[in-house]
Amino acid sequence: TESEDEGGHCSLHDLGNASGNSHDRLMGRLQAKQLASLCLQNKTLYEAYVLAEDVPLPKNLKEALSTGNPYRKEWQAALNKEKASFVKNRVFGKFVRIEELKRRGIKIIRCKNVFKVKCLSDGTIEQFKIRTVACGCAQIEGLQFDQTYAPTCRGTTIRLILSIAAQNDLELTGLDIEVAFLSAKIDTEKYIYRPDGYEDIVPDGFA
């Protein structure tokens, strides 16, 4: 529908008609674009129907937080959340001057921020995420790391659990452990250059 209310905005009634049933939601991208065009004058409704894949991913933090980026507030909130996780899990230990580490011949690993927009089942935005990660290409196996194994659940295991639950009329619950990789313990000291956006945590000239 392309009807509008008297104020020139799309109405909730129109939005409901445009949304349609579950079959219509399968149209995904086309429907969302039509709704976005219909609701350009209503910011709340417009943002609700922006697809995650339509949000351009920034190449770096400067681009993410630039005044010209319409999603800079969302990226700033994502960065704050990531930094809070680092502090909570005590990722940063002691800070050492970069000159001292270089004098001792210790390799300092560079890191970067990875940007991602998670989506819901209908393709709309669920949340903005920033992950601060070490550049693996700059590390040497056996020196900076010795294991890259991450436990994952196979599809057959999930199907087995679901079938057991169905046969025995059981209820299943799930949970999401945020930044689970930060919970791992390491037995050696690792030093990284200060990531972009962490100026309030890591002092200048320190790693």
Side-chain angles (χ1 to χ4, degrees):
T1 179
E2 294 184 0
S3 61
E4 298 180 348
D5 61 17
E6 294 180 358
H9 296 74
C10 62
S11 66
L12 291 176
H13 175 71
D14 295 330
L15 182 63
N17 291 338
S19 298
N21 53 33
S22 58
H23 173 72
D24 294 328
R25 287 197 295 272
L26 294 177
M27 296 175 65
R29 183 181 181 84
L30 177 60
Q31 180 193 20
K33 281 187 174 296
Q34 291 174 339
L35 285 168
S37 176
L38 181 65
C39 301
L40 276 176
Q41 299 181 55
N42 190 314
K43 190 172 185 294
T44 301
L45 297 179
Y46 172 73
E47 289 181 344
Y49 280 90
V50 173
L51 291 182
E53 65 180 53
D54 289 334
V55 178
L57 296 180
K59 298 181 177 63
N60 49 57
L61 193 62
K62 182 179 180 180
E63 181 179 330
L65 304 182
S66 65
T67 56
N69 191 333
Y71 301 101
R72 61 183 182 279
K73 291 183 179 180
E74 287 81 359
W75 289 124
Q76 182 65 65
L79 176 63
N80 294 340
K81 185 176 181 180
E82 178 73 351
K83 289 164 60 176
S85 298
F86 271 54
V87 173
K88 180 180 179 180
N89 291 278
R90 292 184 243 181
V91 173
F92 298 125
K94 62 181 181 180
F95 300 120
V96 182
R97 288 192 174 277
I98 294 177
E99 293 81 359
E100 173 64 17
L101 294 175
K102 290 183 177 180
R103 186 185 63 81
R104 290 159 51 186
I106 297 178
K107 182 179 180 62
I108 307 174
I109 302 171
R110 296 190 178 279
C111 53
K112 64 178 181 179
N113 293 310
V114 179
F115 305 86
K116 184 176 182 180
V117 180
K118 296 190 68 176
C119 63
L120 297 171
S121 58
D122 61 356
T124 54
I125 298 172
E126 177 183 9
Q127 64 172 319
F128 289 71
K129 295 183 68 174
I130 292 181
R131 285 288 177 259
T132 302
V133 300
C135 295
C137 58
Q139 302 180 59
I140 302 176
E141 184 176 3
L143 185 60
Q144 276 86 29
F145 71 93
D146 55 9
Q147 293 183 352
T148 57
Y149 174 75
T152 57
C153 186
R154 299 181 61 181
T156 52
T157 304
I158 295 177
R159 289 194 291 271
L160 175 62
I161 294 175
L162 292 176
S163 64
I164 294 175
Q167 291 175 3
N168 294 277
D169 194 24
L170 301 176
E171 293 184 0
L172 294 176
T173 59
L175 60 90
D176 178 27
I177 301 178
E178 294 187 350
V179 291
F181 67 95
L182 294 181
S183 302
K185 303 294 183 181
I186 57 175
D187 54 6
T188 57
E189 290 185 348
K190 309 294 182 183
Y191 293 94
I192 63 173
Y193 286 103
R194 182 177 65 187
D196 291 339
Y198 287 72
E199 291 78 9
D200 57 330
I201 298 178
V202 184
D204 289 335
F206 283 79

